[in-house]
């Protein structure tokens, strides 16, 4: 095992992809800066030059167009937004131009751009800095959308995205950045559109995205003590959606809980649940259940945020109901490492 | 130094655009070109004079009113008409229509109707041209209305900050659909004055005087090509027909009829003709040539096959490059 | 019956709401212009003054902020976008500010703004002028979202939206504008969040939005000849979603087809289907089916557009499969009124 | 004509902001203010001198670095601290945190961290003020980075086109997070020069010279109040601490230490002190007063209740108004 953090895995993927292909370039405010997008781009400007690792003004809309224009000369830009929320300013260029670029000129142009959108949860990121809008991008024809949940996939999906000729939106969750795991040294791909059985099990399926995979694995761990075997499917991509892995798992278990990082209503989980209802209807023994954010903006105060963001315990409760387990038998939730649950682990320090 | 305006050629270029637009307008009511079309009749001088001094490698971008830019840059006429007719042989294979013209061989990269949408893309192309140490420049055409969009400002700012080889060309026809400038933009300043916000050289000229457009563009292009960074040009001109579609719209009353008549009297083609350019015989020859070309082009476009509905899903995602 | 077109109904709703409440004002490029947003605003500037019926520059993003700022003085702006696609330029102000405005200042501010977003389908509107992005707005906490399908509701939902203190997104489909129906003269509301049984039936439910209600009614008409009774539920609002009307209908019929004007994938139909799967699971005899746009951008050429946009016939086929009706028994589709199906009725003339 | 700068009052206003920010910075590492905080230490002159000449009915808007603007406009200190502490008694009831300050009684309408996000809102408030024939003006504060956003341009354009009573105030501290101006904005022009793009009067001054800020703002406010339309002001200043958080960040190396030291030497408070304002005794009295006020405010904020998690869904949709 070659242990690397999620952030290091992204860094390595970027460095290797840039070394492999001189057309790969990075753009975004702060990308070449001293803190290097949470450490994921540090030193790359020094190594590959300021032309390929570009600082940018705060002009999210036009920056997207700059990247698109550069594809005309064969470049393959990776555009970075420190918060998903900032990409909201770029929706016109992303949706009206980039996503449709190949199609609307009859295949004569391509837009091989990767958008790294970071979900900024925790420490009071609040209403304008912690949205999780993957469902938007997945809804727009032309994009591929991936959401890595492990260091290995953080690198592998990034490399696959960079090599793909479609525009790809990568949603990276800040709470995964410190997570450590096995990351091969080679330049490998995690194919877009292929889910992963993160943990096999036979009593129920939890189909999860991004950071919710970690919470699902925690839930599975804790339910194992009760003899309940949960299968955790890390969806990895929303577009293409791996319908067969999802439905085969549901066919094995008969139960589905979907856990996504975004709002439940009209969210990614709706597509996953609806797909399972359509394609694995005969196998579903009970109604599918969705876990995610309630239909409220993201609050800042930790007293509210702790109640807002779903955790393993919410998944456990949903599974208990599905599987007729007396909720009283569920293990008590671990206490937070401090007073609040708004930071991912004890070593994390504010400001953010 | 750039050469003097080649007036006979500019006349030919303008006349060709005019005749093509007129032919489209004539056939549009047949209902076989089933997409919104924004005619540039009356505004031919700017495309002719600006594109007339670009190299093939220079890249042109435009918006919804793009026929003139496409044609003046050398875009394929049959492919454009086929696009309007929704044919598989259209320049965008029928997927885009009149508002999504493209001819990469001619260096006409893309037009698109979302206002200001192609401006940052043109800047990006200029950026990557500098990476390649290429000498090609980006030229982007847009209307007065498009300058109200934030993307215009973001693009101007970045192009100036990095001294990129982009020529920003505003065709100010005084209206955005039916809305006059008053209330949309500050009184007492020209669009060209916005260059000052970016320390960007800018110039303004009569957009119906093809020689003036030529000179203004020539100077700006010399700067841009010389590596001195971007320029902004504003040309005042006027659209003769309705905002979208083949008819006059004087009945709507948003433009005073004296204003419309005044501008019609300032026809850029007629202006040269009055100066004796290119001469009657030459003009007759041009008319005959264009008439034949246009007829043949319509015939070819209309004879081309429709896209196959089974290919609906083509070009959504490219194969691996 | 007081027959008015959908467009006239909107006009009347605006005029009456403005007469009732001097704080109601309209903004948007072309709103006071001679063609008056497809006739929905004609003459209002003359009647209510240029201050309350404001032309605007093409600055979609900032225009949204202007409307929001005006709410500080108690105004209730109705912001008009001639195409949904133009609202994409305003997503930052709409989503990051307007939708969260009340919440993120702890209830001290309100954003009673109505956004009229028009879906520009047909006559080669193409990739950048015919998107149907209601699922986006419905996914963002803070908005209410409604989609009228009848002249009566075009007025009633508009009035309800104007009087509501939340920001409300109204999605208006161009192909409904010429539709005629009964419109009461009084200033009435169609309550947000209440669906309507547009046609009762017992064999299957079609839950439809906006223009797809018309196609669903056509399908129901044609299936009636085969003795099949389809219940058409006009959802009318996405947020709040009328879960009980939906689920009660499914409980009666046991079958659900969802027909939405947008892309199926991660679309409004996913939420409706998932909700039915969750809340009416025991009543569903077969898997729900979704009808909508395939995951491709909108093509311009009529030869492609006709295949792209779903019609009654697609709903009929889905119902036939659900109800074990031999598709050969389905009535043949009516021929188009011309060569193509890209205009709503024979009286319609281009350009658009 | 406006009165001369009331230096002792401005000193007091700046010192108060400084001491409050220092107190927050001191307690921030305790980990009880759990939200990102952007300190304005070093930049106190602009909020003090601009807000110091506003009426309560004038409406102020700001961005992420808003403490100074809120306090100088008369925002309630306890409510601000309670907001940082995530308390139900916070000015935004804990929903917003440091980046969403509000005090309607004081005419501090809203701050929000999305860059340039409040600029159009301020313009909209000015628009509706004209509808009401009110004499209140909108003042919006933003950084140099925010001027790169398209919404800035769209707002300037519209405010100028309609001659709205808005004062645009740019605090140019030469950095956007860690990025210097070079490469982000054109060389050879000031941000104030952007006024020319909109025929909008603009001025530039040393943002660490509180008297200069006062004079510059006074002139502009007289114009804006007089119905002559908007003005743009640019004040050069400097942030002493890291972009976000309570510590210096000299170790990151993006700012030369001579530069940082040079600006620290140009402390706006020290500058007045050197000129003998307000005098030692007065200063001691102010220090004592602020220390007591701040201690009491922290105590009150910390004693306040947390929001009840059962109220998570409150304020998503208002009741009918
Ligand atoms: C973002 C956006 N908003 C609105 C429109 C609708 N629209 C199409 S053309 C046009 C007028 C543009 O005026 P101008 O840029 O001056 O070009 P002109 O039509 O006068 O050539 C408008 C508002 C659009 N296409 N895109
Ligand atoms: C739309 C958007 N993009 C990016 C950011 C991230 N961001 C927060 S503060 C900041 C720097 C802004 O610089 P400036 O406007 O000069 O203000 P300063 O911090 O220097 O006071 C950036 C880029 C943001 N908040 N919003
Ligand atoms: Mg115009
Ligand atoms: Mg700054």
């Amino acid at each position: 095992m070659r242990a690397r953090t999620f952030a290091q895995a992204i860094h390595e993927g970027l460095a290797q992809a840039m070394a492999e292909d001189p057309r790969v370039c990075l753009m975004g405010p702060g990308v070449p800066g001293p803190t290097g997008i949470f450490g994921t781009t540090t030193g790359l400007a020094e190594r590959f030059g300021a032309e390929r690792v570009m600082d940018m003004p705060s002009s999210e809309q036009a920056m997207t167009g700059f990247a698109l224009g550069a594809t005309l000369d064969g470049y393959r830009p990776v555009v970075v937004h420190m918060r998903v929320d900032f990409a909201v300013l770029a929706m016109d260029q992303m949706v009206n131009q980039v996503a449709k670029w190949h199609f609307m000129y009859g295949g004569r142009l391509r837009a091989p751009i990767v958008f790294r959108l970071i979900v900024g949860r925790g420490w009071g990121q609040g209403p304008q800095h912690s949205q999780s809008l993957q469902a938007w991008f997945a809804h727009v024809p032309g994009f591929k959308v991936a959401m890595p949940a492990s260091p290995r996939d953080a690198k592998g999906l990034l490399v696959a995205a960079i090599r793909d000729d479609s525009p790809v939106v990568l949603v990276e969750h800040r709470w995964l950045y410190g997570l450590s795991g096995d990351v091969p040294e080679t330049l490998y791909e995690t194919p877009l559109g292929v889910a992963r059985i993160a943990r096999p099990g036979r009593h129920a399926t939890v189909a999860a995205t991004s950071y919710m995979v970690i919470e699902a694995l925690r839930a599975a761990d804790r339910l194992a003590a009760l003899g309940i075997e949960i299968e955790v499917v890390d969806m990895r991509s929303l577009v293409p959606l791996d319908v067969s892995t999802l439905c085969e798992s549901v066919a094995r278990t008969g139960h589905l809980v979907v856990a996504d990082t975004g709002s439940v209503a009209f969210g990614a989980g709706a597509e996953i649940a609806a797909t399972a209802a359509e394609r694995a209807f005969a196998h579903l023994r009970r109604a599918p259940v969705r876990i995610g954010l309630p239909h409220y903006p993201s609050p800042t105060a930790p007293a509210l945020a702790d109640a807002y963001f779903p955790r393993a315990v919410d998944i456990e409760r949903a599974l208990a109901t599905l599987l007729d387990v007396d909720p009283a038998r569920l293990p008590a939730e671990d206490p937070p490492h401090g007073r609040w649950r708004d930071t991912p682990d004890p070593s994390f320090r504010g400001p953010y | 130094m750039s050469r003097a305006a080649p007036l006979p050629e500019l006349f030919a270029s303008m006349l060709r655009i005019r005749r093509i637009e007129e032919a489209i307008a004539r056939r549009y009511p047949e209902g076989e070109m089933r997409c919104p079309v924004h005619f540039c009749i009356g505004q031919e001088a700017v495309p002719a004079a600006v594109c007339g001094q670009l190299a093939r490698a220079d890249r042109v971008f435009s918006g919804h009113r793009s026929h003139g830019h496409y044609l003046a840059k050398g875009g394929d006429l049959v492919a454009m008409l086929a696009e309007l007719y929704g044919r598989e042989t259209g320049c965008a294979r029928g997927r885009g229509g009149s508002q999504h013209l493209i001819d990469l061989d001619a260096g006409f990269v893309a037009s698109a109707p979302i206002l200001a949408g192609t401006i940052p893309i043109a800047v990006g192309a200029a950026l990557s041209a500098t990476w390649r140490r290429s000498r090609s420049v980006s030229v982007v055409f847009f209307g007065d209305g498009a300058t109200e969009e934030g993307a215009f400002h973001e693009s101007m700012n970045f192009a100036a900050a990095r001294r990129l080889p982009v020529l920003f060309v505003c065709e100010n026809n005084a209206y955005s659909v039916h809305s006059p400038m008053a209330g949309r933009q500050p009184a007492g300043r020209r669009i060209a004055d916005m260059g000052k916000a970016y320390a960007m050289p800018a110039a303004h000229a009569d957009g119906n005087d093809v020689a003036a457009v030529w000179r203004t563009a020539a100077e700006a292009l010399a700067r841009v090509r010389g590596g001195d960074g971007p320029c902004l040009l504003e040309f005042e001109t006027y659209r003769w027909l309705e905002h979208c579609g083949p008819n006059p719209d004087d009945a709507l009353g948003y433009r005073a009829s004296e204003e419309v008549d005044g501008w019609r009297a300032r026809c850029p083609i007629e202006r040269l003709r009055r100066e004796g350019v290119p001469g009657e015989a030459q003009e007759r020859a041009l008319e005959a040539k264009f008439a034949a070309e246009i007829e043949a082009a319509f015939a070819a476009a209309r004879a081309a096959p429709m896209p196959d509905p089974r290919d609906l899903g083509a070009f959504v995602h490219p194969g691996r490059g």
Side-chain angles (χ1 to χ4, degrees), chain A, chain B:
Chain A
M1 147 131 176
R2 184 171 170 272
R4 292 290 184 278
T5 65
F6 193 92
Q8 287 167 337
I10 293 171
H11 189 278
E12 186 168 280
L14 287 174
Q16 291 181 353
M18 293 184 77
E20 176 193 56
D21 184 346
R23 302 169 307 169
V24 177
C25 56
L26 311 185
M27 333 182 146
V31 164
T35 50
I37 313 291
F38 308 113
T40 62
T41 61
T42 332
L44 294 178
E46 291 69 20
R47 180 157 164 212
F48 296 105
E51 226 167 55
R52 288 181 66 197
V53 184
M54 292 191 93
D55 205 6
M56 281 279 151
S58 292
S59 307
E60 286 81 2
Q61 186 81 278
M63 173 171 72
T64 313
F66 305 156
L68 184 54
T71 66
L72 293 167
D73 283 315
Y75 292 95
R76 308 178 74 83
V78 178
V79 173
V80 188
H81 292 281
M82 295 270 285
R83 297 285 184 288
V84 173
D85 317 70
F86 308 159
V88 173
L89 283 77
M91 291 311 286
D92 169 42
Q93 284 289 323
M94 288 185 75
V95 168
N96 286 331
Q97 308 292 354
V98 172
K100 303 168 175 44
W101 197 240
H102 186 59
F103 180 89
M104 72 189 171
Y105 299 105
R108 304 198 201 276
L109 296 169
R110 294 176 177 210
I113 305 175
V114 177
F115 296 93
R116 289 183 53 204
L117 311 189
I118 300 169
V119 176
R121 174 175 158 181
W123 197 272
Q125 298 289 301
Q128 294 189 337
H129 277 58
S130 45
Q131 290 169 93
S132 204
L133 296 169
Q134 54 271 15
W136 275 15
F137 299 100
H139 185 47
V140 175
F143 284 124
K144 296 182 180 176
V145 180
M147 303 180 73
S150 69
R152 176 189 285 260
D153 291 342
K155 179 174 170 184
L157 288 169
L158 173 65
V159 171
I162 289 173
R163 289 182 179 165
D164 201 287
D165 267 359
S166 290
V168 182
V169 172
L170 285 180
V171 178
E172 303 172 6
H173 198 289
R174 268 283 282 133
W175 279 26
L176 294 167
Y177 274 26
L179 205 83
S180 190
D182 185 30
V183 176
E185 188 166 5
T186 51
L187 182 52
Y188 63 92
E189 291 186 28
T190 302
L192 297 164
V194 181
R196 165 180 80 104
I197 309 283
R199 175 184 178 123
R202 61 203 169 93
H203 294 127
T205 298
V206 180
T209 63
S210 182
Y211 175 70
M212 290 310 286
V213 173
I214 308 304
E215 296 289 341
L217 288 170
R218 271 188 204 148
D221 247 1
R222 288 152 46 85
L223 290 182
L226 305 183
I228 300 166
E229 298 170 26
I230 300 302
E231 178 145 304
V232 177
V233 179
D234 173 359
M235 296 305 298
R236 297 208 286 204
S237 300
L238 295 181
V239 181
L241 188 68
D242 185 348
V243 178
S244 33
T245 300
L246 171 71
C247 291
E248 283 158 22
S249 177
V250 171
R252 279 193 296 276
T253 65
H255 293 288
L256 176 65
V257 170
V258 184
D260 178 47
T261 58
S263 279
V264 167
F266 299 84
E271 179 65 28
I272 296 171
T275 300
E278 286 162 4
R279 311 286 194 92
F281 186 75
H283 300 288
L284 274 174
R285 270 176 270 157
R286 292 226 165 129
V289 178
R290 287 179 280 163
I291 306 272
L293 304 177
H295 214 47
Y296 315 145
S298 174
T300 296
L304 295 168
D306 274 9
Y308 178 77
F309 290 104
R311 297 190 298 275
V313 63
D314 303 290
I315 301 173
E316 291 160 27
R317 283 193 201 117
L319 288 165
T321 309
L322 271 186
L323 300 172
D324 291 324
V325 174
D326 179 357
R329 286 185 57 214
L330 289 175
E333 190 178 13
D334 293 332
H337 36 265
R339 177 162 179 198
W340 307 109
R341 299 185 189 273
D342 64 346
T343 54
D345 68 65
S347 64
F348 177 83
R349 286 269 182 288
Y352 67 105
Chain B
M1 282 289 27
S2 57
R3 65 195 171 115
L7 296 181
E9 280 149 52
L10 295 176
F11 182 92
S13 176
M14 292 193 293
L15 185 70
R16 180 166 175 269
I17 296 170
R18 172 77 52 95
R19 294 296 176 251
I20 292 167
E21 290 285 72
E22 286 169 348
I24 296 169
R26 213 163 35 240
R27 287 173 173 271
Y28 194 78
E30 294 167 0
E32 294 189 28
M33 290 178 267
R34 300 179 81 82
C35 58
V37 173
H38 302 79
F39 292 84
C40 69
I41 294 181
Q43 305 191 185
E44 297 90 348
V46 178
V50 175
C51 294
Q53 47 196 320
L54 298 178
R56 222 168 69 163
D58 294 327
R59 293 186 282 207
V60 168
F61 300 79
S62 180
H64 56 288
R65 200 175 304 285
S66 63
H67 294 184
H69 311 127
Y70 173 94
L71 293 169
K73 187 67 178 31
D76 186 272
L77 174 61
V78 178
M80 172 178 131
L81 294 178
E83 189 60 31
L84 271 61
Y85 277 102
R87 297 307 206 268
E88 182 67 25
T89 57
C91 57
R93 293 202 174 91
R95 272 67 181 176
S98 162
Q99 305 192 92
H100 293 281
L101 300 185
I102 174 169
D103 188 336
L104 292 176
D105 291 337
F108 186 90
V109 178
S111 60
I114 289 285
L115 286 182
T118 54
I119 301 178
I121 305 171
V123 172
L127 175 66
S128 58
T130 66
W131 293 342
R132 289 190 303 123
R133 318 285 177 248
S134 142
R135 296 182 54 84
S136 98
V137 305
S138 283
V139 178
V140 57
F141 294 94
F142 48 88
D144 47 290
T147 67
E148 293 150 14
E149 295 287 0
F152 169 71
H153 162 71
E154 296 182 3
S155 301
M156 295 278 288
N157 176 63
F158 186 74
R162 305 288 168 105
R163 300 178 72 78
L164 299 178
V166 197
L167 184 62
F168 297 93
V169 183
C170 180
E171 294 175 332
N172 180 354
N173 62 10
Y175 290 87
S176 174
V177 193
H178 308 133
S179 303
M181 288 295 262
R184 291 195 286 122
Q185 298 188 21
R189 76 100 167 86
R190 292 192 187 287
I191 284 175
D193 291 337
M194 280 199 266
K196 292 179 193 145
Y198 314 96
M200 188 190 296
H204 165 273
D206 178 351
N208 281 20
D209 175 349
V210 75
V213 177
W214 177 279
R215 276 193 311 274
T216 311
E219 269 178 43
L221 280 165
R223 280 193 66 94
V224 173
R225 275 195 214 292
D228 290 341
C231 280
L232 169 66
L233 301 182
E234 175 191 8
F235 297 113
E236 276 180 272
T237 182
Y238 206 74
R239 131 174 89 70
W240 288 11
L241 301 180
E242 61 193 330
H243 167 67
C244 179
N247 303 306
D249 64 355
D250 304 11
L252 288 180
Y254 68 102
R255 306 194 295 190
S257 57
E258 307 79 58
E259 182 183 291
V260 179
D261 295 344
W263 277 97
R264 279 178 172 270
R266 293 172 57 193
C267 169
I269 297 175
E270 184 57 32
R271 179 178 180 131
L272 282 194
R273 200 180 275 136
R274 274 200 308 263
E275 293 173 11
V277 176
E280 264 185 54
Q282 283 91 329
E283 188 171 347
R284 260 197 312 277
L286 287 173
E287 292 280 17
K289 181 174 130 197
F290 296 150
E293 182 198 4
I294 292 168
E295 202 181 303
F298 269 91
R302 293 161 61 104
M306 298 285 176
D308 185 335
R310 284 168 304 185
D311 291 338
L312 195 53
F315 311 125
V316 179
H317 293 286
R320 274 214 165 180

